[in-house]
Amino acid sequence: MTLMKSWVTSANTPDTPFPLNNLPYGVFSVGDEDARCGVAIGDMILDMAALETAELIHLDDDAAFDLPFWNDVMELGPDIWAKLRARLHEMLAEGSADQAAIEPYLVPLADARLHMPLMVSEYTDFYAGRQHAQNMGAILRGSPDLPANWLHIPVGYNGRASSVVVSGTDIHRPNGQSKAPDADVPSFGPSKRLDIELEMGAIVGTSCEFGTPITVDQADAMIFGYVLLNDWSARDIQGWEYLPLGPFQGKAFGTSISPWIVTAAALDPFRTATPAREKELLPYLDSTIDGLFDIELEVLMQPEGAAKATSLSKTNYSRMYYSAAEQLCHHASGGCGMNSGDLLGSGTISGPDKSEYGSLMELSWAGRDPFTLDTGETRTFIEDNDTLILRGGAKGDGYQIGFGTCEGTIRPAVKFPT
Amino acid sequence: MTLMKSWVTSANTPDTPFPLNNLPYGVFSVGDEDARCGVAIGDMILDMAALETAELIHLDDDAAFDLPFWNDVMELGPDIWAKLRARLHEMLAEGSADQAAIEPYLVPLADARLHMPLMVSEYTDFYAGRQHAQNMGAILRGSPDLPANWLHIPVGYNGRASSVVVSGTDIHRPNGQSKAPDADVPSFGPSKRLDIELEMGAIVGTSCEFGTPITVDQADAMIFGYVLLNDWSARDIQGWEYLPLGPFQGKAFGTSISPWIVTAAALDPFRTATPAREKELLPYLDSTIDGLFDIELEVLMQPEGAAKATSLSKTNYSRMYYSAAEQLCHHASGGCGMNSGDLLGSGTISGPDKSEYGSLMELSWAGRDPFTLDTGETRTFIEDNDTLILRGGAKGDGYQIGFGTCEGTIRPAVKFPT
């Protein structure tokens, strides 16, 4: 696949994350205006609500774009998604007859504030990166052996939709219960082991009803798009609470996503197969599709006052053992209804080498091996006012499908009310 | 507290679940009509949407009752809840000047179909019954010792809102992965160990924002009301999947709730304290309120064709170690936003004696001790077409605050798609 040229010339440079090949969906506002749907193209945003009002685009009898979320478009299903994408390509392609009509509806990205691109219905987080699972086993349970079910089940747990926020939202260091190894009783206070998890988020576009399982191929067709996702984690809170019912408050104080939903259609040229199976999966997880994507990912940290961020690791989404489609199929396999707006976190993405680890827990090996930032400071976990940044993109021939960044700054813990 | 008399005479009998003292909120329809808000009184339902149209009740500038859920009322907060309850008492009390005006808006309960009384935002299930936790430890881990955190944390995990259904909804036996103890590899198919969990559900009425923790007293004031809740559980699926991240598909195929939200106000005379603490709770869980309620509970099973249901156990909500308010406070303690419409399952309620156990796992001790139904049939877990029924009520002086029933029939597993 090569670059598709646009009359928006900033979309034709090899380093823009938003060429015509991409067309990611977001929600934006300028100044005091209402937030509404927009599409990124080069260094501009196409104002979809204004285009709809001007009758230059029309999806449905109801307004689809003059809303602060893409859920209504998502619910219309894959045929409409394809029509919308085709119409956007037509309008924005070099030589388009629509150029003069469309041009007034471009807003500079630099002037816009970006909001959550969707209303998250429910949020599920998986544990589908093999290196991460092995590292966490070694750190927490003294052995890199995978849990007995891991090679058979895309292991996941339900997270908290109310804690999902858009990139740029400050996160307060959570208060919580933890127990030091040498303490008799737990204590309550700000987490001392605050971490990130580098993940991709898959956004469910169409629903499957309660009681109605789906195949992996059907699940793949239900996925509207992907975002970068940082599943902020308080390791000390998590460590004390997670037996026997899993992570809870250690994961409930913030999950950041990148502001642009990159569609499955834009990522289609970058599909890759899941890795060879060490144990054959059960037939309900069979599929005919390549469910992963070749997406380069990077984790960076920028302490307060630093001129630039330090790169901590680089890896690739194709490192995952299970695809989002396999996860979604498993999620619905017992009859659980899956809805438009559901968000599935991939699980932490770590490659085999330390330079590819996707969490500070792994990078500092539970705090035993501090790492050094470009400023000369060292870290094991996150300190107050540190900013953590995820970046990602799929590299084509002379273009890239970028995600923007997914970043957040950790602010001091709030005082607990009395 | 004694019976408050109503001109709806069926509300004055000692065995009605719905005296004037109760006034639970539900959603109903008759025939092909749209579902709308109603209040149960004796053997009738007061049609709140029709009352609103007739301008006999008015809460807000927007219609609050011509909707198939109570969420809009819940969001208005405790002052409005109290005003609504006072107005309902005034309208329905014996000797009310409103009787003639109100009477046309009563619909026989027997003619109505009951729907979900709320839109569930997110669903969390706790593990706050001590006897149940000890029994499960003994069965699953060979020791009744509580998990290390259990006496300090109201342990919980996030469940799946999309699987919450109203009483009367059929549940299909879930397909899922499990591994027999003597098998080398897991298999996929219908659960063989299908169970119930007797719980109460607390409904969060008002929200606390992301990043804003609350005290237990604040949490208690946020709770709109309570329902009976059956957290259907597939023990074989759960047993294979739950390490290390907790229950997932073993709990995602159905959670049934009773159709009437019994308000916290109606239950107020039945408040009881949580039991003496074996270990002092951390100060963030301090409160000045009695957070539990004296509510008698019963589990019954009715196999297909049986004339009546067999009582399997009887216990009381006051058996819990943690209150819903303590659970809600803990849930928000790290900054997790809690929203109107969130549903909190209490955890399985089991008393110290076998006659008080709230799950079949405990009643049959993981299948080792079959129990006998009134029909002469025996059971360990649920068979296809068995109906499971929960009942509950708080007993006052000559009246009761009833919940109606929470029931569901297990239908055969669906065929997995290919």
Side-chain angles (χ1 to χ4, degrees):
Chain A
M1 197 74 159
T2 56
L3 176 72
M4 299 165 73
K5 284 205 169 175
S6 171
W7 52 262
V8 182
T9 53
S10 61
N12 299 333
T13 59
D15 58 338
T16 179
F18 307 132
L20 185 56
N21 307 57
N22 193 348
L23 300 179
Y25 301 147
V27 168
F28 77 102
S29 62
V30 179
D32 295 334
E33 297 167 356
D34 286 342
R36 57 199 186 273
C37 292
V39 177
I41 176 79
D43 57 8
M44 306 297 274
I45 300 173
L46 186 60
D47 183 339
M48 297 297 290
L51 272 190
E52 188 174 54
T53 303
E55 300 185 355
L56 288 162
I57 199 155
H58 178 77
L59 271 197
D60 201 43
D61 291 340
D62 299 316
F65 302 114
D66 194 14
L67 297 167
F69 44 76
W70 280 81
N71 296 63
D72 284 30
V73 174
M74 286 155 53
E75 287 174 10
L76 295 173
D79 288 350
I80 300 291
W81 306 344
K83 276 185 197 162
L84 171 61
R85 185 167 169 82
R87 175 71 184 125
L88 289 166
H89 275 148
E90 179 186 57
M91 291 193 300
L92 293 167
E94 196 175 58
S96 168
D98 296 321
Q99 178 174 350
I102 301 299
E103 213 153 12
Y105 302 104
L106 290 173
V107 175
L109 190 48
D111 295 348
R113 180 174 161 215
L114 300 176
H115 304 261
M116 276 288 288
L118 78 160
M119 288 189 297
V120 177
S121 301
E122 298 193 63
Y123 167 50
T124 309
D125 193 33
F126 286 88
Y127 189 58
R130 182 169 186 164
Q131 186 67 45
H132 173 72
Q134 291 177 170
N135 287 346
M136 293 301 273
I139 291 169
L140 297 178
R141 292 178 287 274
S143 161
D145 291 350
L146 294 165
N149 53 20
W150 201 93
L151 292 168
H152 303 279
I153 293 180
V155 172
Y157 65 99
N158 298 298
R160 187 75 198 172
S162 64
S163 68
V164 181
V165 296
V166 72
S167 174
T169 307
D170 284 352
I171 307 282
H172 286 280
R173 180 179 299 275
N175 292 299
Q177 270 200 43
S178 60
K179 192 175 88 62
D182 56 348
D184 289 335
V185 291
S187 60
F188 183 84
S191 168
K192 296 187 176 90
R193 293 185 146 214
L194 193 52
D195 198 357
I196 57 149
E197 292 193 335
L198 168 65
E199 302 194 23
M200 297 287 302
I203 293 166
V204 178
T206 55
S207 301
C208 67
E209 273 183 38
F210 175 69
T212 311
I214 50 174
T215 65
V216 174
D217 287 10
Q218 287 169 335
D220 190 73
M222 286 166 60
I223 296 173
F224 183 66
Y226 292 82
V227 290
L228 303 175
L229 186 149
N230 179 357
D231 189 47
W232 302 91
S233 300
R235 300 298 181 191
D236 42 359
I237 298 171
Q238 185 184 350
W240 171 234
E241 76 183 353
Y242 91 111
L243 288 175
L245 296 186
F248 189 53
Q249 292 309 292
K251 298 280 196 171
F253 59 94
T255 301
S256 301
I257 64 170
S258 53
W260 296 104
I261 304 172
V262 175
T263 61
L267 291 168
D268 201 57
F270 303 96
R271 283 185 178 270
T272 60
T274 48
R277 301 304 177 178
E278 184 172 322
K279 299 202 177 175
E280 193 179 1
L281 294 181
L282 285 162
Y284 81 101
L285 289 170
D286 281 351
S287 74
T288 65
I289 52 135
D290 289 339
L292 291 176
F293 299 92
D294 178 6
I295 299 170
E296 296 177 13
L297 300 165
E298 185 176 15
V299 179
L300 304 98
M301 179 185 263
Q302 186 163 7
E304 192 176 23
K308 64 184 247 334
T310 300
S311 178
L312 300 183
S313 76
K314 291 183 181 180
T315 188
N316 195 295
Y317 180 49
S318 60
R319 293 292 193 194
M320 301 310 283
Y321 194 79
Y322 293 101
S323 68
E326 288 169 337
Q327 292 169 335
L328 180 52
C329 165
H330 177 70
H331 210 324
S333 62
C336 181
M338 300 302 300
N339 290 314
S340 185
D342 282 345
L343 175 65
L344 310 184
S346 60
T348 308
I349 307 166
S350 289
D353 188 75
K354 184 172 173 177
S355 64
E356 290 195 44
Y357 289 176
S359 72
L360 306 188
M361 188 76 166
E362 295 163 88
L363 285 166
S364 74
W365 210 254
R368 275 168 274 176
D369 305 329
F371 51 86
T372 304
L373 304 178
D374 294 347
T375 58
E377 295 168 85
T378 60
R379 288 287 185 279
T380 49
F381 292 98
I382 303 171
E383 299 195 1
D384 285 350
N385 303 309
D386 285 348
T387 298
L388 274 291
I389 304 161
L390 309 183
R391 289 185 188 150
K395 297 279 167 62
D397 183 8
Y399 77 101
Q400 56 178 317
I401 301 292
F403 283 77
T405 64
C406 175
E407 59 183 88
T409 302
I410 292 295
R411 300 302 179 190
V414 300
K415 193 174 175 315
F416 201 84
T418 49
Chain B
M1 197 73 161
T2 54
L3 175 73
M4 300 165 72
K5 284 205 170 177
S6 171
W7 52 262
V8 182
T9 53
S10 61
N12 299 334
T13 59
D15 58 339
T16 179
F18 308 131
L20 184 58
N21 307 58
N22 193 347
L23 300 178
Y25 300 148
V27 168
F28 76 103
S29 62
V30 179
D32 294 335
E33 296 167 356
D34 286 343
R36 57 200 186 272
C37 291
V39 177
I41 176 79
D43 58 7
M44 306 297 275
I45 301 174
L46 186 60
D47 183 340
M48 296 298 289
L51 272 190
E52 187 174 55
T53 303
E55 299 185 355
L56 288 163
I57 199 154
H58 177 79
L59 271 197
D60 200 45
D61 290 340
D62 299 315
F65 301 115
D66 194 12
L67 296 168
F69 43 76
W70 279 81
N71 297 64
D72 284 30
V73 174
M74 285 154 54
E75 287 174 11
L76 295 173
D79 289 349
I80 301 291
W81 307 344
K83 277 185 196 162
L84 171 60
R85 186 168 168 82
R87 174 71 184 124
L88 289 167
H89 276 148
E90 179 186 58
M91 290 193 300
L92 293 167
E94 197 174 57
S96 168
D98 296 320
Q99 177 174 350
I102 301 299
E103 213 154 11
Y105 302 103
L106 290 173
V107 175
L109 190 49
D111 294 348
R113 182 176 159 212
L114 299 177
H115 303 262
M116 276 288 289
L118 78 159
M119 288 189 297
V120 178
S121 301
E122 299 193 63
Y123 166 52
T124 308
D125 193 32
F126 285 87
Y127 188 59
R130 182 168 186 165
Q131 186 66 46
H132 173 72
Q134 291 178 169
N135 287 346
M136 293 302 272
I139 291 169
L140 296 177
R141 293 178 286 275
S143 161
D145 290 350
L146 293 165
N149 53 21
W150 201 93
L151 292 168
H152 303 279
I153 294 179
V155 172
Y157 66 98
N158 298 298
R160 187 74 199 174
S162 63
S163 68
V164 181
V165 296
V166 72
S167 175
T169 306
D170 284 353
I171 307 283
H172 286 279
R173 179 180 299 275
N175 291 298
Q177 272 199 42
S178 60
K179 194 175 86 64
D182 56 348
D184 289 335
V185 292
S187 60
F188 183 84
S191 168
K192 297 187 176 91
R193 294 185 145 214
L194 193 51
D195 199 357
I196 56 150
E197 292 193 335
L198 167 66
E199 303 195 22
M200 297 288 303
I203 293 166
V204 178
T206 56
S207 301
C208 66
E209 273 182 38
F210 175 71
T212 311
I214 50 173
T215 64
V216 174
D217 287 10
Q218 287 170 333
D220 190 74
M222 288 166 59
I223 296 173
F224 182 66
Y226 292 81
V227 290
L228 303 176
L229 186 148
N230 179 357
D231 190 47
W232 302 91
S233 299
R235 300 297 180 192
D236 42 359
I237 297 171
Q238 185 184 351
W240 171 233
E241 76 183 353
Y242 91 109
L243 289 174
L245 296 186
F248 190 53
Q249 292 309 292
K251 298 281 197 170
F253 59 95
T255 300
S256 300
I257 63 170
S258 52
W260 296 103
I261 304 173
V262 175
T263 62
L267 291 168
D268 202 56
F270 304 95
R271 283 186 178 270
T272 61
T274 47
R277 300 306 177 178
E278 183 172 322
K279 299 202 177 175
E280 193 178 2
L281 293 182
L282 285 161
Y284 81 102
L285 289 170
D286 280 351
S287 74
T288 65
I289 52 135
D290 288 338
L292 292 177
F293 299 92
D294 178 5
I295 299 171
E296 296 177 14
L297 300 164
E298 184 176 15
V299 179
L300 305 97
M301 179 186 263
Q302 185 163 8
E304 192 176 24
K308 65 184 248 331
T310 300
S311 179
L312 300 184
S313 76
K314 290 183 182 182
T315 186
N316 195 294
Y317 180 50
S318 62
R319 293 292 193 192
M320 301 311 283
Y321 194 80
Y322 293 101
S323 69
E326 288 169 338
Q327 292 169 336
L328 180 53
C329 165
H330 177 70
H331 209 326
S333 62
C336 181
M338 300 301 300
N339 290 313
S340 185
D342 283 344
L343 174 66
L344 310 184
S346 61
T348 308
I349 306 165
S350 290
D353 188 74
K354 185 173 172 176
S355 64
E356 289 196 43
Y357 289 176
S359 71
L360 306 189
M361 188 76 167
E362 295 164 270
L363 286 166
S364 75
W365 209 255
R368 275 168 275 177
D369 303 329
F371 51 87
T372 304
L373 304 179
D374 294 346
T375 58
E377 294 168 85
T378 61
R379 287 288 185 277
T380 49
F381 292 98
I382 304 171
E383 299 194 2
D384 285 349
N385 303 309
D386 284 349
T387 298
L388 274 292
I389 304 160
L390 309 183
R391 288 185 188 149
K395 298 277 166 64
D397 183 9
Y399 76 101
Q400 56 178 317
I401 301 292
F403 284 77
T405 64
C406 175
E407 58 183 87
T409 302
I410 292 296
R411 300 301 180 191
V414 299
K415 193 174 174 314
F416 201 83
T418 49

